[in-house]
């Protein structure tokens, strides 16, 4: 039983560190390089804008936060096609993004282990990673800027170090 608890704890810490220390900074750095019109630019009529993708991620994070707080939470409809286009101001979007991730982290850290659905968490992390890749790829193409996240410390080595530090601090 102890090994299972340690494995779950490791999964929990990796998930939180990946979302908060890995994905969130990549999205913020990407957004900070863009002008308002670039954030909301659609490559074609049916393509989501970077802003729409960011709002999609936030909605996914918010729903998962609610599921952590209220295990039986349900939603009227899915968010597969939820890529809104409200032309939200960049600074407001960045603040909302920070808030959504902070609330999710708080919910992860305060929810009892037995109430956390690992499949939902894994899906959120995986789905967020996919959309983060879309965001920084599009932002790099639009700006010509190479973010070099790996070279600038947002990489698997840094992630492992933050996970190991968190595991030491909580055991």
């Amino acid at each position: 039983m102890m090994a299972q608890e340690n494995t779950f704890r490791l999964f929990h810490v990796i998930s939180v560190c990946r979302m908060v220390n890995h994905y969130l900074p990549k999205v913020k750095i990407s957004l900070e390089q863009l002008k308002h019109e670039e954030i909301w630019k659609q490559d074609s009529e049916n393509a989501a804008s970077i802003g729409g993708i960011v709002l999609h991620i936030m909605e996914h994070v918010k729903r998962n936060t609610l599921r952590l707080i209220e295990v039986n939470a349900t939603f009227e409809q899915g968010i597969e096609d939820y890529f809104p286009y409200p032309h939200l101001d960049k600074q407001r979007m960045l603040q909302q993004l920070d808030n959504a991730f902070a609330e999710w982290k708080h919910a992860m850290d305060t929810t009892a282990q037995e109430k956390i659905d690992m499949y939902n968490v894994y899906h959120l992390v995986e789905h967020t990673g996919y959309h983060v890749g879309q965001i920084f790829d599009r932002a790099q193409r639009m700006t010509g800027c190479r973010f070099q996240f790996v070279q600038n410390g947002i990489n698997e080595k840094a992630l492992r170090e933050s996970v190991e530090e968190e595991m030491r601090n909580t055991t």
Side-chain angles (χ1 to χ4, degrees):
M1 189 62 156
M2 186 62 132
Q4 188 176 14
E5 286 178 19
N6 286 338
T7 300
F8 181 85
R9 179 71 185 137
L10 182 60
F11 167 80
H12 175 268
V13 171
I14 289 170
S15 299
V16 170
C17 286
R18 185 169 295 279
M19 289 287 288
V20 174
N21 302 344
H22 217 76
Y23 295 157
L24 180 58
K26 287 181 177 181
V27 173
K28 290 172 67 173
I29 290 166
S30 298
L31 284 174
E32 287 165 354
Q33 300 304 310
L34 298 170
K35 297 178 185 124
H36 180 82
E37 56 275 359
E38 292 171 322
I39 291 171
W40 298 106
K41 181 180 186 290
Q42 292 177 277
D43 291 338
S44 67
E45 188 177 321
N46 295 326
S49 65
I50 288 173
I53 296 169
V54 171
L55 294 176
H56 176 83
I57 290 170
M58 281 195 282
E59 182 65 20
H60 202 181
V61 169
K62 288 176 186 177
R63 286 180 178 215
N64 274 266
T65 302
L66 185 58
R67 281 191 193 108
L68 288 166
I69 296 167
E70 297 178 31
V71 177
N72 296 320
T74 58
F75 305 97
E76 277 188 36
Q77 63 188 69
I79 59 169
E80 305 81 35
D81 298 321
Y82 180 81
F83 295 93
Y85 194 70
H87 287 275
L88 192 63
D89 172 76
K90 177 171 42 176
Q91 292 310 314
R92 188 167 170 214
M93 183 184 298
L94 287 166
Q95 185 60 53
Q96 288 180 6
L97 187 65
D98 276 336
N99 291 345
F101 275 70
E103 289 170 10
W104 177 80
K105 180 185 183 315
H106 178 74
M108 283 290 289
D109 291 344
T110 58
T111 300
Q113 174 180 326
E114 63 274 3
K115 292 187 177 183
I116 295 177
D117 183 336
M118 287 175 55
Y119 293 96
N120 281 341
V121 174
Y122 187 76
H123 174 73
L124 174 66
V125 172
E126 189 176 62
H127 190 83
T128 301
Y130 167 75
H131 286 305
V132 169
Q134 286 182 310
I135 290 166
F136 75 76
D137 179 63
R138 290 180 187 190
Q140 285 185 145
R141 276 188 284 125
M142 282 182 185
T143 64
C145 181
R146 304 306 295 170
F147 297 127
Q148 297 186 326
F149 293 124
V150 172
Q151 297 82 350
N152 291 316
I154 304 176
N155 55 47
E156 293 302 311
K157 181 181 177 197
L159 177 68
R160 178 181 285 270
E161 289 169 359
S162 64
V163 166
E164 289 172 352
E165 180 179 337
E166 182 68 23
M167 291 298 287
R168 280 191 303 274
N169 292 337
T170 58
T171 0

